[in-house]
Amino acid sequence: MTHIRGPISKFTPGRRVLAAAALTAVTALALTACGTEENDGGRQTGSAGSSTVSQQPTPEQGAAQALFDRFEKACPEPGVNSRRPTGASKPDTAEPETIAPGETPPADPIEPAPPTGPEAELDDRDWCVSAHHEQRIIAALQKLADPTPAKVRKTLNGLGYTDERIHHLKQDGKRTRFYLDLREDGGRLCESGLAAGAVSDAVPCVADADGPFKVTSETRP
């Protein structure tokens, strides 16, 4: 059998060069892929870090939180509600006595009905914290001429209440009504405010403990 050596020897070095080049290219691609994966991982980590940074409180939120903390430190511990009866008295199921004509009704005082609404649902700490907020809010709103929603928002922002705590800001004739979300650590305290010049006021209300802000109880007409 005749072996043709010339052509093989002629192209063998070239094939080796091509193989080496191909191996180099594959290696380069692999290294590039590794580098890309590391870079993507770095960007993802940076993105998560940016997300974490974006969740950090703004200076305005930090100032508002400092205000809340100061009020809470000046108030009693949560859990005690002196407005709610603590006795476990049984309900009186007896039929009420009728008074015959000409007879005098009994002189015993009539027991007041148990509290409802914010008085029953908020504890002493909530009422104390609310009083601190109300004092500064009312004082600022009484100085506000022509209390439009935009002016009321600006005034509340100036007091440290960020926009995410201001709800249902709306014009009501020459007055502006609004709510403030004062919930902290699972609390339910909110404030129902009325900006109306000298007769401005703010009273406590109750909101859902979790989730979006929603008022569940208030005494304002």
Side-chain angles (χ1 to χ4, degrees):
M1 182 175 179
T2 305
H3 297 280
I4 303 174
R5 298 178 180 275
I8 293 177
S9 60
K10 181 178 180 180
F11 291 102
T12 298
R15 290 177 180 177
R16 289 176 180 173
V17 171
L18 290 174
L23 179 61
T24 302
V26 170
T27 304
L29 287 174
L31 291 174
T32 303
C34 292
T36 303
E37 184 177 356
E38 290 176 1
N39 289 338
D40 288 344
R43 282 197 295 270
Q44 289 174 358
T45 302
S47 177
S50 300
S51 176
T52 302
V53 171
S54 65
Q55 293 176 1
Q56 297 299 320
T58 64
E60 292 78 9
Q61 291 172 331
Q65 188 60 53
L67 179 70
F68 280 46
D69 293 343
R70 177 162 57 89
F71 289 166
E72 289 184 354
K73 288 179 181 179
C75 293
E77 292 297 319
V80 177
N81 187 349
S82 58
R83 293 169 173 79
R84 185 189 305 128
T86 56
S89 58
K90 297 181 180 179
D92 186 6
T93 57
E95 293 291 334
E97 296 182 1
T98 58
I99 301 174
E103 291 186 2
T104 304
D108 295 336
I110 300 175
E111 294 185 3
T116 59
E119 287 196 359
E121 300 179 65
L122 300 178
D123 60 21
D124 291 353
R125 182 189 185 89
D126 291 328
W127 286 93
C128 175
V129 171
S130 177
H132 284 288
H133 285 287
E134 290 168 16
Q135 183 177 8
R136 61 200 305 271
I137 292 170
I138 294 172
L141 293 180
Q142 286 178 337
K143 300 176 183 178
L144 188 61
D146 186 21
T148 62
K151 291 182 179 179
V152 171
R153 181 182 295 277
K154 184 177 180 180
T155 299
L156 295 175
N157 289 158
L159 293 175
Y161 303 104
T162 53
D163 284 341
E164 58 264 26
R165 290 191 178 272
I166 304 172
H167 298 272
H168 308 309
L169 190 67
K170 63 179 182 179
Q171 188 89 36
D172 182 11
K174 294 183 178 181
R175 307 173 297 180
T176 292
R177 296 181 181 272
F178 63 91
Y179 289 99
L180 279 180
D181 181 1
L182 304 181
R183 295 177 297 176
E184 289 287 316
D185 300 325
R188 303 180 62 194
L189 177 63
C190 62
E191 205 71 27
S192 173
L194 177 66
V199 295
S200 298
D201 72 350
V203 297
C205 59
V206 183
D208 282 338
D210 301 310
F213 179 77
K214 181 182 178 182
V215 177
T216 60
S217 179
E218 64 177 313
T219 55
R220 183 184 296 282

